[in-house]
Amino acid sequence: QVQLVESGGGLVQAGGSLRLSCAASGGILSIYAVNWHRQAPGKQREWVAYTTSGGSTNYADSVRGRFTISRDNAKNTVYLQMNSLKPEDTAVYYCNAGYSSGSSTIVYWGQGTQVTVSS
């Protein structure tokens, strides 16, 4: 059973930066595809970025060019570097890790970390 713990959220002014961490225990995160999602109050959860086990990355249009997802396999951690933050980036940010083998897929979620961007 993989456990994911997000950290690094907080309150920042518009234009500022934060780095979120998604630390894994109970499994080797490098074999998993890892996604970051976010959910703002009153809105549906939306996908933000992913990195595959092979290191490919992709981003939602709303964050491309401002956010960067990366891995530190030695620390069993995936990061989300968020620059040029906007008030509309305010949300609870969640990471998940997914692994597919044959016809089965396993997905684990963290508990989330709050990001608040003030104008």
Side-chain angles (χ1 to χ4, degrees):
Q1 181 87 5
V2 174
Q3 294 182 328
L4 302 175
V5 178
E6 300 97 331
S7 62
L11 174 63
V12 64
Q13 288 188 332
S17 298
L18 285 173
R19 189 179 76 162
L20 305 184
S21 299
C22 173
S25 60
I28 302 173
L29 197 56
S30 62
I31 70 170
Y32 291 81
V34 176
N35 293 266
W36 283 97
H37 290 75
R38 66 186 180 186
Q39 187 166 20
K43 295 188 177 181
Q44 289 188 332
R45 189 172 296 189
E46 65 171 345
W47 170 76
V48 174
Y50 77 67
T51 177
T52 68
S53 58
S56 299
T57 60
N58 199 10
Y59 302 90
D61 289 343
S62 58
V63 306
R64 185 173 288 113
R66 299 189 297 123
F67 290 11
T68 302
I69 189 170
S70 63
R71 293 179 179 265
D72 185 335
N73 291 333
K75 294 184 177 180
N76 219 24
T77 299
V78 169
Y79 301 101
L80 185 68
Q81 178 67 44
M82 307 187 297
N83 299 328
S84 302
L85 282 162
K86 305 175 181 179
E88 51 264 43
D89 294 319
T90 295
V92 178
Y93 284 71
Y94 301 88
C95 65
N96 76 20
Y99 177 78
S100 294
S101 176
S103 60
S104 65
T105 298
I106 299 173
V107 180
Y108 301 100
W109 286 87
Q111 84 292 345
T113 185
Q114 175 71 48
V115 171
T116 304
V117 184
S118 63
S119 58

